[in-house]
Every structure is written in C-alpha cells, then in structure tokens.
Amino acid sequence: MAINSPRGTSDIFGDEIFYRDCIVDSAKKLFELFNYTRIITPAFEHTEIFNRGIGKSTDIVKKEMYTFPDRKGRSLTLRPEGTAPVVRAIIEHKLYSSKIPIKLFYIENMFRYERPQKGRMREFWQLGVEAAGVDNPLIDAEVIWLLALIFEELGFKNLKLLINSVGCENCRPQYIGVFKDYLKPYLESLCPDCRERYNTNPLRIFDCKIPSCIKIINNSPKIYSHICGRCSSHFKKVIELLKILNIPFVIKEELVRGFDYYTRTIFEIISEDLDSVQNALGGGGRYDKLIEQFGGPSIPSIGFAVGIDRTIVLMKQLGISWQIKKEPHNVFIILLEERFENYGLEFLNYLRRSSIKCDISFEIKKISTQIKWAEKNGFSHAAIIGEDELKSDNITVKNLADFKQSQFNWKKEPQKIYEILK
Ligand code: AMP
C-alpha cells in the first residue's frame, strides 16, 4: 500500500511554491525596510521552553504539542510557535547586550496537533517578527503597521485589524476577579471546557466558539475597561499613532488570543471572507515579562506571526494572483538525434552562463511533439540542434509565440542571443 504524508501535513510544489515565494519575498522586503534581521531557530526545543512560555493551561501546551523523549530521555517538542524560541535565543546569546531594540524576523514551519481542515494544518508555516527592548508605544504602532503592510503589499483590501489591551501583571489579576464574579452564576451554563478554564485560565473563555458561552461572554465586563492608568495611556497612545499612520482598526474588547505571555497591546488581522472559525491571518502582541520569566533581563517586547498557508487559501479564494514575474524568455533545446547530445550540452552551458533560463530535451522525439511540450511548459523559444548546427555553429531560435525564426552563430556572436530573445 502506498504511504501518504501524515494527516495535517502537505507536500508543497508547483503553483503553491509561487504563492509562498511571493508572500515571503514581499514580506522580506518590508522586514528589511523596517530594519529587522533574520533568525533561524531549531525545529525542536526543550519542552520546558513552551510550557513556561506559552503557558501550561493553554490549548497549545495542553493538547497540541508534538512532544517526545529523545534517546537519552530528554523531553523535546517540535516548535508550535516562534516567540518562545526567539526569546530563548535572545537570552542564550545575550543579544540585548549589543543592541536595543533587537529586531528579528523568522520564516519557519510550526507544528500543532490540531483537527486539520482548510487553513488549519498540523504542520504550517508562519512568518513573524519580534522586537525586544522597547516600552514606547511607538514600537507597538510600528509592529502593527508592518503587519498591515504585509497584507496591503500582497493586494488584500477588506481585512480587519482588531486591537485590544489585556493589561499588565498589576491590573489583569484584578480584572480576572471581576470576570470570575460575573461568571459565577452562569457556571452551570458554560461548556465543560469553559468550566475548566474558569479555574485554570478564565481569559481563555473569550476564545470559546460555542454559541451559549459566547452569549454569556458578550454581556460580561471586558478587560479593556478595567486596565490600569499606565496600560490605558499606553493603549491610547498606540491608537493615536495608528491614526497618524492611517491604519484602519477596530477595538475588540473580547480579543484575548491564545498565549499566556501577552501583556497590554494585542492585535489580530482577520478576513471576513474566510470562514468564521479560521478567519485569522495573523496576530500578535506585547510580552513585556516573558524574557524576564525565562531568566533574562527585564525587556519589554512585542511581536506577531502571520500564517502563510492561510494567507494563500485566502489569496486563491479572492483571486489575488501571485505577482512573481515568470522569466519572460527561456529556451528549450531540441536535439534531433542522440549523437548531438554533447554539442547540445555545450550550447546549454553557453546559455546558462549567459544567465538565460533554459532546458534540454532528454529524449529524442518528433520535433512537433517537442515544440508542443515546450509551449505547454512555458518556454518562449526553442532551439533545434541537428547536423547543420553542429557543423556551422549557426543555431536557429524559434519564437514559440509567432514562430519567427532567427539564426546566429553562438560561438562568434555570443551576445546576439539577448537581441533575439528581446
Ligand atoms: P498564532 O500563532 O496562533 O497566533 O497564529 C498566528 C497565525 O498563524 C494565525 O492567524 C494563522 O494564520 C496561522 N495559524 C495558526 N495555527 C495554524 C494552523 N494550525 N494551520 C495553519 N495556520 C495556522
């Protein structure tokens, strides 16, 4: 029996690669423009990194991690997200000692044991940034601006940027008290998961998708109106700056996001064109205490992650075409007989050294069949090699759009190919 790829994973090839390249190339240009440099962290980390970073009572840590013992019995986990590993790296290499802010970006595959469906995979790709070392709301605005620009550059129009503040270590516990008091009379009406969340991590109740829970949450007091003066003025400033940048946003008081490390500003970019459960394309927030919690210095930080796979799903759905320009000119070399192979290889070498995208027929077939194949596979020109060419070095190049032919002696006038392909 044939073996397929594991559930929730996929092979990426063909057009999918073009979409990915388009997203990644466009984002990389913006990262550079915003002065971020790349970091690549290992695909797996000590499990502790995620337990401590993401939070033990989050869905990711409780039920979605690919955790396994290595041969020496150490517990390792395939990374389910990018922030905790980057924070670990910042501390391990003391990146804060040379430069503040530390502005890093990553493009990596993530692993979460989730129920696979369209736009939700067990292995998926994210690109994201982390900016460590700045408390100033300017960096919040800059990071949100960058997130919005990534989608703007790709040609998205009707996306919604949601923002909220989840307060800090001082005001959040107070709010949680207020929230729990409100929920107490409704405990029996909450779903079993939310009843558990009530004790372990009440804010997660805001993530529940069950209508009866949503109804109860809708009328609850929101964290936004319970944050302290310091968090409130920070948030107001972020809003002021986003307005200066002309970035449209909506304050969503129910927004909490799935990681425990977030403090103050959090944000998410969603599309109402994607189905309601999987509508988030990217999101992030501040994590002012995480580096300290990991044993590093007290460095307030902020970051976001964008789901590449989900962005592609929406690009396809909305007909946003990838803007990668295919090489306009490329030559397919057709050999009339096997004995011209060596000469064909020399010509191929000449074309490739001239930076002209090309390929050669590996099988001898009828010319018409080969030309059809070249047309179907996007070649703009064909060069046919037979006895005359071998003797004279005069190669005929056929334009496959209008079938005009041009001849040139490639050894004597090697530059002429550029004119012919123009
Ligand atoms: P998160 O790391 O959960 O904040 O997610 C950031 C973005 O990654 C989301 O907005 C999605 O676009 C994407 N994402 C998260 N989980 C998955 C998944 N299981 N499959 C595909 N994309 C995902």
Side-chain angles (χ1 to χ4, degrees), residues 8 60 64 80-82 106 110-115 117-127 151 257-259 261-262 267-269 274 278-284 304-311:
I60 294 184
E64 294 172 3
E81 61 96 54
Y106 59 84
M110 306 293 165
F111 308 87
R112 292 183 197 171
Y113 193 84
E114 292 196 87
R115 200 162 47 81
Q117 48 188 280
K118 202 170 185 185
R120 190 157 79 188
M121 312 278 295
R122 290 184 172 167
E123 183 190 21
F124 58 99
W125 285 78
Q126 285 187 336
L127 52 86
F151 290 99
R257 299 194 37 78
F259 304 93
Y261 51 63
Y262 285 128
F267 47 93
E268 199 159 82
I269 200 147
L274 272 171
Q278 252 69 246
N279 66 359
L281 293 165
F304 68 69
V306 166
I308 299 180
D309 313 78
R310 210 173 284 176
T311 303

Side-chain angles (χ1 to χ4, degrees), residues 117-294:
Q117 48 188 280
K118 202 170 185 185
R120 190 157 79 188
M121 312 278 295
R122 290 184 172 167
E123 183 190 21
F124 58 99
W125 285 78
Q126 285 187 336
L127 52 86
V129 304
E130 311 295 345
V134 185
D135 190 58
N136 192 327
L138 261 178
I139 198 98
D140 303 43
E142 191 199 67
V143 163
I144 296 173
W145 179 22
L146 179 52
L147 176 67
L149 269 185
I150 289 177
F151 290 99
E152 195 185 308
E153 281 292 299
L154 290 172
F156 285 98
K157 294 219 159 57
N158 298 317
L159 300 183
K160 218 182 216 177
L161 174 69
L162 311 174
I163 63 168
N164 193 22
S165 173
V166 286
C168 64
E169 71 283 9
N170 298 322
C171 53
R172 189 158 37 187
Q174 274 178 32
Y175 164 73
I176 288 175
V178 173
F179 184 47
K180 283 180 87 172
D181 286 348
Y182 163 82
L183 286 177
K184 215 171 198 167
Y186 302 104
L187 264 183
E188 288 307 306
S189 321
L190 290 175
C191 73
D193 274 351
C194 282
R195 251 176 276 151
E196 196 196 320
R197 288 172 184 143
Y198 179 85
N199 293 315
T200 55
N201 196 344
L203 282 184
R204 291 273 74 74
I205 295 176
F206 281 104
D207 283 337
C208 189
K209 301 282 187 286
I210 295 171
S212 51
C213 292
I214 294 178
K215 216 165 138 194
I216 297 170
I217 300 159
N218 277 345
N219 295 321
S220 75
K222 306 290 176 336
I223 192 161
Y224 180 68
S225 8
H226 286 79
I227 54 177
C228 60
R230 194 176 144 261
C231 289
S232 171
S233 51
H234 185 98
F235 194 59
K236 281 188 185 131
K237 185 74 191 180
V238 175
I239 288 172
E240 193 185 320
L241 296 169
L242 291 179
K243 284 184 180 158
I244 292 175
L245 290 165
N246 276 324
I247 299 169
F249 61 87
V250 176
I251 297 172
K252 189 176 179 213
E253 298 180 34
E254 295 86 8
L255 186 67
V256 287
R257 299 194 37 78
F259 304 93
D260 280 358
Y261 51 63
Y262 285 128
T263 50
R264 297 196 277 176
T265 319
I266 58 164
F267 47 93
E268 199 159 82
I269 200 147
I270 63 163
S271 161
E272 277 157 2
D273 292 311
L274 272 171
D275 81 53
S276 62
V277 186
Q278 252 69 246
N279 66 359
L281 293 165
R286 266 199 173 269
Y287 49 94
D288 293 334
K289 294 286 152 197
L290 189 60
I291 296 187
E292 201 177 339
Q293 224 173 288
F294 269 43

Side-chain angles (χ1 to χ4, degrees), residues 334-351:
I334 298 172
L335 306 176
L336 293 182
E337 288 175 43
E338 220 175 282
R339 65 192 171 95
F340 303 129
E341 262 175 15
N342 295 3
Y343 185 78
L345 188 68
E346 271 183 62
F347 186 63
L348 185 73
N349 185 21
Y350 148 74
L351 285 181

